[in-house]
Amino acid sequence: QVQLVESGGGLVHAGGSLRLSCAASGRTFSSYTMGWFRQAPGKGRDFVADISSSGGSTYYADSVKGRFTISRDNAKNTLYLQMNDLKPEDTAVYYCATSDRRRVGLRDPLNYAYWGQGTQVTVSS
């Protein structure tokens, strides 16, 4: 099994930036697609982005394309989400997750077996 711990969330003004990190345990970190999801109060868990095992392929939700960048450092067992030009509608708890598949564009949370505890991102207007 793998354990995931997100960090880097916080409160920022619209137009600001944050970099989220997801520290993973386990020998198989580099083997599968990993993704970021977010959940606003009273809403479902929405796909943000995912990345292939090597980091060579990425896929983004339309709402964040051009503003967010997903990356991974397999040597450090860490997944990242660089968030730029943040908007109030980006406010949510952000979760990282690891899949048991090796393709990107995995928008359905059911594709992901392990989840972190989440980190709060709040963007003020």
Side-chain angles (χ1 to χ4, degrees):
Q1 293 188 345
V2 61
Q3 292 190 79
L4 306 171
V5 180
E6 302 95 335
S7 62
L11 173 64
V12 296
H13 289 113
S17 297
L18 284 172
R19 188 196 194 205
L20 306 184
S21 297
C22 173
S25 64
R27 295 180 293 106
T28 62
F29 174 80
S30 64
S31 298
Y32 299 103
T33 294
M34 296 187 70
W36 287 98
F37 289 74
R38 64 188 183 184
Q39 188 166 17
K43 304 296 183 181
R45 189 164 296 186
D46 291 333
F47 174 83
V48 176
D50 61 1
I51 186 168
S52 62
S53 59
S54 68
S57 297
T58 59
Y59 183 85
Y60 297 90
D62 288 343
S63 58
V64 307
K65 194 174 299 180
R67 299 188 297 121
F68 290 11
T69 302
I70 188 171
S71 62
R72 65 194 297 167
D73 186 338
N74 290 340
K76 296 181 178 179
N77 284 354
T78 303
L79 176 73
Y80 302 99
L81 185 68
Q82 178 66 47
M83 306 186 296
N84 297 326
D85 191 25
L86 283 161
K87 305 176 184 299
E89 51 262 45
D90 296 318
T91 295
V93 176
Y94 283 70
Y95 299 90
C96 67
T98 185
S99 175
D100 61 355
R101 303 181 67 181
R102 292 188 172 92
R103 56 160 291 190
V104 296
L106 302 175
R107 290 174 155 266
D108 192 336
L110 293 176
N111 286 303
Y112 297 85
Y114 299 101
W115 296 81
Q117 85 290 346
T119 186
Q120 177 71 49
V121 172
T122 303
V123 184
S124 62
S125 60

